């Protein structure tokens, strides 16, 4: 990334991009703690839609969310090649089940698009913005609404 | 600034300890089991508060503690006799001192009038009394300072007019310990203080000075012999060394006359040349400066320092809680790791007598030892908590115009620090309730043939791996018709509801229930026992009520010993491994089919010894799967809730018992109904810890049909 642009160097943010439910999503790299292979988890009673259960992450009990199901897409089919993206939100740690991780992208802030309806403070929008990529777009996941949707979002 | 603040914080932390000592001492004085040292300890506590407060310019606190200290000083020097009224004042003063300390800590103001009144109450005891001089003779035995009385006796022998201030000659043998220096005390300052009482001459004894090559700078080797000529009483002399009590070898005796030969003897103890062995002997008896007259004073004085040495507090270490918690987490991981290794070894094709099996067993025992030792760090006696409650009882009694006393039992029982901290509010609430609602007014009590002063018994005890805390009053008992009426008026239950006694009692725990006819300062603010129950449940505990009309009400809180580990029974439910807390399980039963009775469309009851106990399917109540055809007689866990009602829970298999490390679900996820926490099994998998009481209790709760919200909806 050399500063060839006419204006001052824009802010660069790194994102981890992955596929879930056939679409591309991304999360800011500072929120991602690690990427783990899919493993067995323990289901939890009375779980809301898209919460698969809990797993052991080095002694911590963390919930696993099926990102696709959480976003209202079809639940991710079981596949040993699925991966779990472990993310931090505040002091909460949780895992997102996705199909595969594709790449780590460096994106300048001015190429992130925030559409007006996404900016709405309803908190219901799980997508915080869009990033133009070579072949299409990737959606920035808003972790807060993924967690908050809880039992209320019956898809 | 920040260092000053941290010193300030330390001061308030110390104040907590000091106030605990104070309460402890006052309680002993009240019960009549005090000795002179108790009064001294009480005095020291207040004096230390005053000293610290002075450093932070907390003037109100200084002024009040000074007043308090003055009265205590009168008491310990036997110029004041302990009597019930004085005891009352002292207790109230201690309460007020606590209030002042808390106010100073939190930076809030205290009503000056209250402080003035409290100070005035103390001042009453300070009116100049003419009988001060003969007080020692009349002082009650339990509170006389042994050394003083004896000293007077010794003095009388030599002097016919003991009431006149007389120049006395003290011989003070002083040998500091290493702790004295490491605590920041400085002998020179003590000597300076001493010189304000009279003329001091000091002699240093370097007899124990080791050879240079063996010299250890951390070990003090100096001893002093001080001579003081003063009109001060021995107590005043002793007071100079108040703060190094237990940190030095101290011997104060009154010499009848400055004798020359005696001085010679002391000069002899100055080492002209190092001659260690004989010196040591000479030093061994510096306390016998009056060889020709072994007066009682000498004996008494030589005994008391030894006693105070034994009384010295156990050495302790202040550690940040964070560090302890990190250790506890690590130990939790160790236990899990141990379980994992044990499981792997079991799966290995090795014989049971192979070495590795032995090592793994050793590892298990070691891990358990470490875990218990670490848990003990967090465990604290409930005593300070209970002491606070006696203050609450006094305040509540004052506010309601009742007369009440608190009797505490089992103060030495130790519970996890977090449990104690989080128990403070619910307990306060229940104690206030007991005084406000439980006890009758003095008139009513007398009418009912009871003593005017009500009694609240607060006790702690261990019972099957849990701590039981009970709050029992000897009041009128629950007014069940009134409770029922209020519940109906408030729409908590239908108008035509017909409840059994236990159900009526449990109405008290309903949110928004309050029987107080008028809103008092103490209770009736709409937050009631439901808050208590929520707080106790959050700690993994339960509350139960037991009330007998005319005899009183007892609230029982049952709590886990620790929030970190528990003994669990490993069970499986629809193929999922889960943990059932052993503490709630009475027994496991596989009944004969004839003992299981179907009632209505889905209910089942188990008959045991002529009683019918409801059967609940754990899987169904967790919403895991629809009941498969239960053709075989089910395997049942018989559980008993705090209110003694029993329930049988269906599980598929029972495996073994083991200690599990409790991992909360709330931090990363949220709380789940029917599940109290989770744990990590030996294979690294997570198992849920069942909240058996909640599962058993669920049947009567409105949200009972849990089948409607199972996983199936999501998946």
């Amino acid at each position: 990334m050399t500063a060839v642009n006419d204006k001052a160097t824009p802010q660069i943010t790194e994102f981890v991009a992955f596929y879930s439910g056939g679409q591309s999503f991304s999360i800011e790299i500072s929120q991602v703690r690690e990427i783990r292979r899919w493993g067995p988890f323990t289901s939890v009673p009375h779980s809301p839609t898209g919460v698969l259960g809990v797993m052991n992450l080095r002694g911590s009990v963390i919930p696993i969310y099926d990102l696709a199901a959480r976003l209202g897409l079809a639940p991710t089919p079981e596949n040993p090649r699925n991966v779990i993206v472990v993310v931090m939100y505040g002091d909460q740690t949780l895992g997102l089940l996705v199909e595969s991780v594709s790449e780590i992208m460096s994106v300048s802030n001015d190429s992130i698009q925030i559409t007006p309806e996404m900016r709405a403070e309803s908190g219901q929008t799980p997508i915080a913005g869009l990033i133009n990529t070579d072949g299409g777009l990737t959606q920035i996941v808003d972790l807060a609404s993924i967690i908050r949707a809880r039992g209320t979002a019956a898809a | 600034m920040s260092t000053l603040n941290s010193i300030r914080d330390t001061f308030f932390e110390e104040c907590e300890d000091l106030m605990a000592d104070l309460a402890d001492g006052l309680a002993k004085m009240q019960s009549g089991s005090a000795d002179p040292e108790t009064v001294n300890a009480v005095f020291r506590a207040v004096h230390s508060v005053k000293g610290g407060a002075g450093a932070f310019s907390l003037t109100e606190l200084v002024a009040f503690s000074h007043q308090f200290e003055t009265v205590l000083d009168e008491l310990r020097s036997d110029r004041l006799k302990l009597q019930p009224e004085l005891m009352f004042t002292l207790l109230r003063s201690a309460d007020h001192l606590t209030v002042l300390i808390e106010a100073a800590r939190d930076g809030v103001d205290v009503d000056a009038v209250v402080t003035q009144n409290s100070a005035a109450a103390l001042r009453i005891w300070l009116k100049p009394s003419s009988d001060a001089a003969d007080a020692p003779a009349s002082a009650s035995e339990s509170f006389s300072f042994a050394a003083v009385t004896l000293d007077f006796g010794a003095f009388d022998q030599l002097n016919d007019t003991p009431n006149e201030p007389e120049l006395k000659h003290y011989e003070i043998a002083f040998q500091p310990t290493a702790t004295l220096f490491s605590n920041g005390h400085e002998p020179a300052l003590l000597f300076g203080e001493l010189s304000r009482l009279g003329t001091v001459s000091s002699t240093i004894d370097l007899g124990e000075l080791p050879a240079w090559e063996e010299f250890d700078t951390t070990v003090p080797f100096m001893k002093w012999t001080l001579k003081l000529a003063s009109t001060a009483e021995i107590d005043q002399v002793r007071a100079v060394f108040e703060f190094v009590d237990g940190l030095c070898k101290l011997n104060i005796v009154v010499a009848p006359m400055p004798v020359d030969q005696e001085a010679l003897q002391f000069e002899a103890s100055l080492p002209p040349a190092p001659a260690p062995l004989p010196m040591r002997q000479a030093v061994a008896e510096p306390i016998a400066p009056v060889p020709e007259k072994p007066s009682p004073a000498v004996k008494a004085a030589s005994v008391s320092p030894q006693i105070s040495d034994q009384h010295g507090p156990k050495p302790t270490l202040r550690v940040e809680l964070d560090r302890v918690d990190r250790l506890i987490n690590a130990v939790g991981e160790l236990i899990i790791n141990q379980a994992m290794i044990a499981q792997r070894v079991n799966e290995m094709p090795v014989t049971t007598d192979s070495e590795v099996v032995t090592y793994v067993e050793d590892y298990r025992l070691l891990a358990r030892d470490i875990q218990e030792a670490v848990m003990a760090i967090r465990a604290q006696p409930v005593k300070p908590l209970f002491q606070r409650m006696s203050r609450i009882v006094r305040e509540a009694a004052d506010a309601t115009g009742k007369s009440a006393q608190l009797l505490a039992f089992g103060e030495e029982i130790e519970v996890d620090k977090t449990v104690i901290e989080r128990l403070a509010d619910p307990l306060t609430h229940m104690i206030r309730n007991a005084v406000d609602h439980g006890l009758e007014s003095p008139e009513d009590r007398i009418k009912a043939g009871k003593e005017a002063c009500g009694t609240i018994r607060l006790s702690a005890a261990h019972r099957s791996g849990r701590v039981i805390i009970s709050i029992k009053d000897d009041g009128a008992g629950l007014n069940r018709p009134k409770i029922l009426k209020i519940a109906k008026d408030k729409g908590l239950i239908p108008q035509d509801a017909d409840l059994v006694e236990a159900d009526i009692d449990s109405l008290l725990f309903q949110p928004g229930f309050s029987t107080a006819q008028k809103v008092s300062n103490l209770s009736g603010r709409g937050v009631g026992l439901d808050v208590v129950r929520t707080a106790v449940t959050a700690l993994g505990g339960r509350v139960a009520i037991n009330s007998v009309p005319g005899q009183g009400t007892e609230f029982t809180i049952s709590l886990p010993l620790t929030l970190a580990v528990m003994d669990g029974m490993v069970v499986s439910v629809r193929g999922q491994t889960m943990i059932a807390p052993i503490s709630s399980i009475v027994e496991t039963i596989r009944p004969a089919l004839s003992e299981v009775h179907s009632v209505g469309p889905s209910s089942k009851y188990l008959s045991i010894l002529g009683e019918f106990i409801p059967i609940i399917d754990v899987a169904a109540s967790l919403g895991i799967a629809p009941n498969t055809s239960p053709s075989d007689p089910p395997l049942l866990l018989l559980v008993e809730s705090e209110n003694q009602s029993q329930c049988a829970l269906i599980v598929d298999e029972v495996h073994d018992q083991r200690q599990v490390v409790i991992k909360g679900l709330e931090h990363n996820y949220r709380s789940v109904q029917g599940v109290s926490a989770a744990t990590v099994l030996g294979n690294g998998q997570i198992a849920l810890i069942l909240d058996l009481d909640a599962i058993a209790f669920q049947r009567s709760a409105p949200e009972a049909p849990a089948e409607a919200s199972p996983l199936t909806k999501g998946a």
Side-chain angles (χ1 to χ4, degrees):
Chain A
M1 278 292 149
T2 44
V4 289
N5 285 8
D6 39 1
K7 287 168 281 183
T9 325
Q11 283 281 313
I12 301 292
T13 312
E14 285 189 302
F15 285 88
V16 176
F18 45 84
Y19 284 99
S20 183
Q23 300 184 10
S24 174
F25 296 95
S26 51
I27 289 178
E28 203 196 312
I29 202 162
S30 63
Q31 292 181 307
V32 178
R33 217 171 106 182
E34 63 183 282
I35 290 160
R36 291 178 70 86
R37 244 187 306 164
W38 185 88
F41 48 82
T42 304
S43 57
V44 175
H46 315 301
S47 293
T49 310
V51 176
L52 298 173
V54 289
M55 67 173 271
N56 170 21
L57 179 75
R58 287 183 299 277
S60 297
V61 178
I62 66 165
I64 305 297
Y65 292 78
D66 179 347
L67 184 66
R70 221 43 195 162
L71 295 172
L73 306 171
T76 309
E78 232 180 83
N79 185 333
R81 291 169 65 186
N82 288 349
V83 292
I84 289 163
V85 181
V86 179
V87 297
M88 292 286 291
Y89 176 71
D91 61 351
Q92 260 180 294
T93 309
L94 52 127
L96 299 177
L97 179 75
V98 301
E99 282 160 16
S100 64
V101 171
S102 49
E103 61 177 321
I104 293 173
M105 311 177 298
S106 295
V107 179
S108 72
N109 281 4
D110 51 11
S111 64
I112 298 173
Q113 291 180 27
I114 301 171
T115 52
E117 63 270 26
M118 287 169 179
R119 208 183 272 139
E121 298 246 343
S122 62
Q124 295 298 332
T125 323
I127 304 303
L130 300 176
I131 302 170
N132 243 318
T133 59
D134 300 337
L137 63 78
T138 177
Q139 308 163 56
I140 301 172
V141 176
D142 177 33
L143 286 178
S145 56
I146 293 290
I147 298 168
R148 209 183 310 121
R150 295 229 158 142
T152 53
Chain B
M1 193 62 200
S2 65
T3 45
L4 185 62
N5 276 343
S6 79
I7 297 171
R8 208 179 129 101
D9 290 347
T10 312
F11 164 63
F12 286 117
E13 270 171 32
E14 278 172 7
C15 276
E16 273 178 37
D17 294 348
L18 292 168
M19 293 315 289
D21 292 348
L22 177 62
D24 206 13
L26 288 176
K28 271 192 198 156
M29 287 163 67
Q30 195 176 17
S31 67
S33 62
D35 53 34
E37 187 44 44
T38 313
V39 186
N40 276 335
V42 166
F43 173 82
R44 268 200 303 277
V46 177
H47 187 74
S48 302
V49 170
K50 183 178 103 170
F56 296 103
S57 318
L58 303 167
T59 43
E60 260 190 24
L61 193 51
V62 173
F64 184 76
S65 45
H66 177 72
Q67 198 73 253
F68 195 178
E69 173 194 86
T70 316
V71 173
L72 288 168
D73 193 34
E74 293 293 298
L75 188 64
R76 72 176 183 151
S77 54
D78 285 335
R79 284 190 291 273
L80 203 56
K81 195 169 178 287
L82 190 77
Q83 43 201 287
E85 295 79 27
L86 176 56
M87 197 61 237
F88 181 84
T89 310
L90 293 178
L91 286 169
R92 294 307 157 106
S93 303
D95 291 350
H96 190 66
L97 192 60
T98 312
V99 171
L100 285 174
I101 290 171
E102 281 167 4
R105 182 189 60 203
D106 305 337
V108 292
D109 288 332
V110 176
D111 191 349
V113 178
V114 181
T115 306
Q116 276 167 23
N117 288 345
S118 304
L122 280 167
R123 229 173 288 126
I124 292 171
W125 300 95
L126 292 178
K127 57 175 187 288
S129 58
S130 54
D131 57 352
D134 53 326
S138 63
S140 79
E141 248 180 353
S142 56
F143 292 103
S144 61
F145 190 93
V148 181
T149 23
L150 284 166
D151 178 43
F152 267 87
F155 202 62
D156 284 352
Q157 290 180 348
L158 302 151
N159 210 316
D160 290 336
T161 54
N163 288 354
E164 258 182 47
E166 183 77 16
L167 197 66
K168 285 191 271 283
H169 298 274
Y170 293 97
E171 299 278 359
I172 302 159
F174 172 69
Q175 182 184 7
T177 63
T179 331
L180 183 137
F181 290 104
S182 64
N183 283 12
H185 294 288
E186 168 57 63
L189 293 176
L190 292 170
F191 301 166
E193 186 73 16
L194 205 57
S195 68
R196 285 162 53 179
L197 295 175
T199 35
V200 178
S201 63
S202 74
T203 318
I204 190 161
D205 175 0
L206 299 173
E208 291 190 3
L209 183 64
W212 277 113
E213 55 270 23
E214 294 162 20
F215 190 82
D216 181 351
T217 50
T218 59
V219 179
F221 49 82
M222 291 171 286
K223 294 178 189 177
W224 282 269
T225 305
L226 302 152
K227 290 186 201 178
L228 170 69
S230 165
T231 55
E233 297 294 335
I234 192 163
D235 270 12
Q236 287 169 270
V237 179
R238 215 171 269 284
V240 171
F241 294 95
E242 186 96 55
F243 289 99
V244 293
D245 188 23
L247 302 176
C248 62
K249 284 186 188 154
L250 183 66
N251 217 325
I252 303 172
V253 291
V254 184
M257 213 72 71
V259 189
D260 277 353
Q261 126 199 30
E262 178 200 324
L264 280 171
Q265 191 196 352
F266 273 87
E267 252 153 53
S269 64
L270 261 173
L277 256 179
M279 265 315 135
R280 242 171 252 259
Q281 276 172 348
V283 177
E285 285 184 301
I287 49 159
V290 205
E292 70 274 23
K293 196 178 275 181
S295 72
V298 174
K299 271 188 195 159
S302 60
V303 167
S304 58
Q306 281 164 9
I307 290 169
S308 59
D309 275 356
Q310 287 164 1
H311 272 267
K314 280 189 194 170
T316 54
L317 181 64
R318 253 178 218 280
V319 182
E320 271 175 56
L321 208 50
D322 276 358
R323 296 190 190 187
V324 176
D325 287 347
R326 233 182 296 155
L327 186 60
I328 285 176
N329 278 337
V331 169
E333 294 311 305
L334 181 75
I335 299 241
I336 290 165
N337 180 262
Q338 181 271 322
M340 285 182 182
I341 291 177
Q343 187 161 336
R344 292 294 183 284
V345 168
N346 278 343
E347 290 162 2
M348 270 160 55
V350 290
T351 51
T352 46
D353 58 348
S354 86
E355 272 191 332
V356 71
V357 174
T358 323
Y359 289 144
V360 166
E361 178 60 14
D362 285 351
Y363 180 28
R364 184 183 70 82
L365 295 174
L366 207 53
R368 185 135 192 165
D369 275 0
I370 295 175
Q371 184 256 319
E372 275 167 15
V374 170
M375 291 308 155
I377 299 179
R378 278 190 65 98
Q380 292 192 322
V382 293
K383 192 172 184 173
L385 182 66
F386 280 17
Q387 281 175 344
R388 247 155 89 190
M389 292 308 133
S390 67
R391 175 181 151 203
I392 302 294
V393 168
R394 286 195 290 273
E395 283 175 359
D398 275 2
T400 54
K402 292 175 183 174
S403 168
Q405 59 166 342
L406 182 87
L407 298 180
F409 302 91
E411 292 180 317
E412 72 288 346
I413 297 286
E414 293 194 334
V415 193
D416 188 277
K417 185 178 164 66
T418 312
V419 176
I420 289 185
E421 279 168 1
R422 285 162 60 186
L423 201 57
D425 283 346
L427 205 54
T428 305
H429 195 89
M430 293 171 89
I431 291 277
R432 283 184 179 153
N433 260 330
V435 177
D436 197 11
H437 303 310
L439 298 179
E440 315 92 322
S441 64
E443 304 84 61
D444 288 352
R445 288 184 64 86
I446 290 166
K447 260 185 241 163
K450 298 180 187 174
E451 278 184 37
C453 178
T455 302
I456 292 168
R457 294 167 61 98
L458 179 60
S459 68
H462 283 300
R463 200 158 77 204
S464 60
R466 288 174 84 81
V467 175
I468 311 291
I469 291 177
S470 137
I471 302 115
K472 187 176 187 180
D473 65 58
D474 64 347
L478 295 178
N479 186 345
R480 295 202 173 96
K482 189 170 142 199
I483 293 170
L484 204 56
K485 183 176 179 302
I486 290 173
K488 285 178 180 169
D489 289 352
K490 296 199 173 184
L492 297 173
I493 49 168
Q495 285 297 330
D496 55 350
D498 184 22
L499 301 178
V500 296
E501 285 187 353
D503 287 342
I504 296 174
D505 294 354
S506 63
L507 285 172
L508 291 176
F509 292 114
Q510 291 286 322
F513 188 94
S514 178
T515 54
Q517 284 181 330
K518 56 178 183 184
V519 173
S520 66
N521 268 338
L522 295 174
S523 41
R525 280 163 302 185
V527 294
L529 286 168
D530 65 309
V531 178
V532 169
R533 180 155 78 176
T534 311
V536 171
T537 311
L539 290 170
R542 313 268 175 244
V543 197
I545 315 180
N546 188 10
S547 177
V548 180
Q551 291 181 24
T553 309
E554 178 174 18
F555 285 86
T556 314
I557 302 176
S558 149
L559 291 166
L561 278 181
T562 163
L563 302 177
V565 291
M566 65 185 283
D567 283 307
M569 189 176 273
V570 184
V571 299
S572 59
V573 176
R574 296 289 179 277
Q576 261 201 52
T577 306
M578 296 187 177
I579 308 290
I582 283 184
S583 56
S584 355
I585 300 175
V586 182
E587 58 178 317
T588 56
I589 314 170
R590 194 182 285 279
L593 268 180
S594 61
E595 291 172 315
V596 179
H597 308 276
S598 287
V599 177
S602 58
S603 303
K604 281 197 168 74
Y605 283 82
L606 171 73
S607 66
I608 297 183
L609 306 169
E611 271 192 82
F612 291 103
I613 293 169
I615 297 178
I616 288 162
D617 187 351
V618 172
S621 101
L622 293 177
I624 291 179
N627 275 357
T628 50
S629 57
S631 52
D632 299 330
L635 185 58
L636 300 175
L637 300 178
L638 193 64
V639 301
E640 190 173 78
S641 70
E642 294 310 317
N643 51 14
Q644 320 296 308
S645 66
Q646 290 193 334
C647 184
L649 303 179
I650 302 178
V651 296
D652 297 334
E653 274 176 86
V654 171
H655 301 283
D656 62 346
Q657 293 182 8
R658 69 173 71 153
Q659 193 175 42
V660 297
V661 177
I662 301 171
K663 304 268 181 189
L665 283 174
E666 288 87 354
H667 182 70
N668 287 320
Y669 185 46
R670 58 174 187 170
S671 61
V672 178
Q673 201 190 2
V675 175
S676 62
T679 190
V680 181
L681 294 176
N683 59 8
Q685 292 291 297
I686 287 183
L688 302 177
I689 299 173
L690 295 171
D691 185 348
L692 295 182
D693 238 43
I695 292 172
F697 186 71
Q698 212 178 23
R699 80 199 125 96
S700 55
E703 59 272 12
E707 288 85 354
S709 60
L711 292 171
T712 47
K713 195 177 78 175

